[in-house]
Amino acid sequence: MALSGRSFSVGASCFRACAEESPRTSARVQLLEPTKDARVMVLGGTGRVGGSTAAALSKLRPDLRLVIGGRNREKGYAVVNKLGKNSEFAEVNVEDMKSLESALDGVDMVVHTAGPFQQAKSCNVLEAAISTKTAYLDVCDDTEYAFRAKSLCNKAAEANVAAITTAGIYPGVSNVMASELVRAAKTEGKGMPEKLRFYYYTAGTGGAGPTILATSFLLLGEDVVAYNKGEKIKLQPYSAGLNIDFGKGIGKRDVYLLNLPEVRSIHEILGIPSVSARFGTAPFFWNWGMSAMTNLLPREYLRDRSKVQQLVQLFDPIVRAIDGIAGERVSIRVDLECSDGRHTLAIFSHRRLSVSVGFSTAAFALAVLEGSTQPGVWFPEEPEGIALEAREVLLERAAQGTINFVMNKPPWMVETEPKEAATQL
């Protein structure tokens, strides 16, 4: 897809080039040691994801000074009142570079949660962060936006700005889980990693609000990109369903193909020949509805942000009512298969997505503030983005409150109904 009439091709060579050109003499960015009194802006902080991130940052590091960035002053001050001291509100227009640069003056780091990222025409916030030499993090879940951000890697490196894109719960924590599975397989096994699959489940909207609903609808307008034995293939969105066992607390759930950036980044960065991602929700009729929308509505309609916002306004009251019944459990399952027959997985499950997404994003933010990220723009699975020695702490922070968090286990040890691995893509 092309958002601005241009395509952005950022292959493995770009990843290598940025890594090679990043200043190695100052291996890690040291913002404030040890992040005491750092000033962090949460852009989109009046929304569900941003508000949850601010709350998690406040809990994990009470010494941080938080700036809630957004357009709605009433909502902004309401968030500030909940956070208490060490927080303030700043009115910011993410579409206006001057507004962004002014807001980032005196800020050590900006956490961009103001989605949806689908169909966005620029990386204004990242560009403003580079201009003002402010560390950057986003929770982008759109492939084109993420790789547009990645294309600014050298520019960020030259400005000595550390930035990570797709650093939420999924993508984000899921990328780190995948990278750690691959690293363990290469260290412990004799076979080479061949197939990696992401499976995601969220009950309803996960309590994460209308932005998540808009994101889901917009993704239905995109062809699914997956990789099979090194070949890039395009598939119908919300197709090829599988019934996946997410282990205790979640059980077996139906999931369907969806176009997500971690598929491409994992394939290109970690060199895994076969990669795909699937997502499912509950109650079951939401999956039917998503499939029906994919088949009945024109792609152009689902790629039009204004039309999708109208759909969100139509469905939001219904979704909220059903969310109250369905709950907001969330689960990530990452499976890795190797050429020697080795099959391992990782699972991350939480009762409340609206809480878990905050701790996940906050974990990345703290890793950047604590110097785990080199100058440049990185994906979570890149060691320049999250240093290998920092990953355990990141996952521990992100996993707070989880009902099930396991890494590098064979399927039979964690599934509720152990069985042979599925052979589908």
Side-chain angles (χ1 to χ4, degrees):
M1 63 182 184
L3 303 184
S4 58
R6 296 187 298 163
S7 62
F8 291 82
S9 178
V10 185
S13 60
C14 178
F15 296 117
R16 290 194 297 269
C18 187
E20 290 167 0
E21 294 178 23
S22 297
R24 295 286 183 166
T25 53
S26 58
R28 303 289 174 196
V29 175
Q30 297 297 332
L31 291 175
L32 291 174
E33 190 74 31
T35 73
K36 186 173 177 58
D37 297 327
R39 195 161 179 253
V40 178
M41 171 174 282
V42 181
L43 198 57
T46 60
R48 300 286 184 89
V49 175
S52 177
T53 299
L57 282 170
S58 180
K59 183 174 182 179
L60 291 170
R61 293 302 302 263
D63 57 295
L64 293 177
R65 293 179 293 156
L66 299 176
V67 182
I68 304 303
R71 294 185 180 184
N72 190 308
R73 297 178 67 86
E74 183 179 350
K75 289 183 178 179
Y77 285 117
V79 174
V80 168
N81 288 336
K82 288 183 180 179
L83 293 172
K85 66 176 185 177
N86 283 356
S87 64
E88 60 185 285
F89 172 72
E91 192 168 350
V92 187
N93 181 358
V94 296
E95 304 298 330
D96 185 274
M97 283 295 289
K98 288 185 179 180
S99 174
L100 282 168
E101 289 175 353
S102 176
L104 295 182
D105 184 32
V107 170
D108 296 297
M109 179 178 193
V110 58
V111 181
H112 182 14
T113 69
F117 292 87
Q118 286 72 20
Q119 308 300 321
K121 295 181 180 180
S122 67
C123 293
N124 276 356
V125 181
L126 175 55
E127 290 177 359
I130 293 171
S131 175
T132 58
K133 300 188 183 299
T134 305
Y136 170 93
L137 184 80
D138 69 44
V139 295
C140 167
D141 51 6
D142 178 70
T143 304
E144 185 135 354
Y145 188 102
F147 279 84
R148 183 188 289 114
K150 182 64 180 176
S151 72
L152 297 173
C153 184
N154 290 335
K155 188 175 180 180
E158 290 168 1
N160 201 37
V161 170
I164 305 181
T165 186
T166 68
I169 182 169
Y170 62 83
V173 169
S174 58
N175 300 50
V176 177
M177 292 165 64
S179 183
E180 287 300 280
L181 284 181
V182 171
R183 187 158 70 106
K186 289 181 176 180
T187 301
E188 301 168 8
K190 297 180 179 179
M192 292 300 295
E194 290 187 333
K195 181 183 291 186
L196 193 143
R197 291 162 293 174
F198 293 100
Y199 303 118
Y200 303 128
Y201 165 78
T202 297
T205 65
T211 298
I212 302 299
L213 194 59
T215 294
S216 301
F217 290 164
L218 287 164
L219 283 171
L220 297 180
E222 301 180 7
D223 286 331
V224 172
V225 172
Y227 296 88
N228 185 26
K229 298 180 180 180
E231 179 185 358
K232 177 181 176 180
I233 56 177
K234 291 186 177 182
L235 302 163
Q236 174 85 358
Y238 235 73
S239 64
L242 294 176
N243 189 247
I244 297 299
D245 194 334
F246 287 90
K248 68 178 183 179
I250 305 294
K252 300 178 75 173
R253 302 289 176 173
D254 292 331
V255 291
Y256 305 82
L257 287 168
L258 210 57
N259 192 44
L260 294 170
E262 57 267 44
V263 171
R264 180 179 167 186
S265 66
I266 288 288
H267 171 74
E268 295 187 359
I269 294 167
L270 301 184
I272 310 301
S274 298
V275 190
S276 61
R278 284 178 168 83
F279 167 83
T281 185
F284 65 91
F285 52 77
W286 283 142
N287 288 322
W288 294 355
M290 297 275 277
S291 180
M293 287 178 65
T294 302
N295 293 314
L296 298 177
L297 294 178
R299 288 289 180 89
E300 294 75 15
Y301 187 99
L302 291 169
R303 292 170 61 86
D304 187 317
R305 284 179 67 135
S306 62
K307 288 184 171 61
V308 165
Q309 287 299 333
Q310 293 173 5
L311 276 179
V312 170
Q313 291 175 8
L314 176 66
F315 283 102
D316 190 50
I318 302 171
V319 171
R320 287 179 184 273
I322 295 178
D323 274 0
I325 301 171
E328 52 176 290
R329 295 196 176 208
V330 61
S331 187
I332 300 167
R333 171 170 166 163
V334 185
D335 282 59
L336 178 66
E337 295 180 37
C338 298
S339 58
D340 60 357
R342 175 190 175 103
H343 181 187
T344 55
L345 59 77
I347 289 180
F348 177 110
S349 301
H350 199 287
R351 287 187 175 87
R352 298 184 62 192
L353 172 61
S354 62
V355 173
S356 188
V357 68
F359 278 106
S360 297
T361 309
F364 281 105
L366 293 179
V368 175
L369 285 171
E370 291 165 355
S372 295
T373 306
Q374 292 185 18
V377 182
W378 312 102
F379 286 101
E381 61 268 37
E382 294 185 271
E384 297 89 352
I386 299 296
L388 299 181
E389 62 271 18
R391 291 179 178 178
E392 183 177 354
V393 172
L394 184 147
L395 290 173
E396 286 177 357
R397 284 169 169 164
Q400 292 200 30
T402 52
I403 56 176
N404 191 20
F405 177 45
V406 296
M407 288 290 300
N408 199 32
K409 300 292 183 183
W412 65 266
M413 289 188 67
V414 295
E415 291 183 336
T416 56
E417 297 179 25
K419 62 182 188 316
E420 291 297 318
T423 58
Q424 293 98 326
L425 174 71

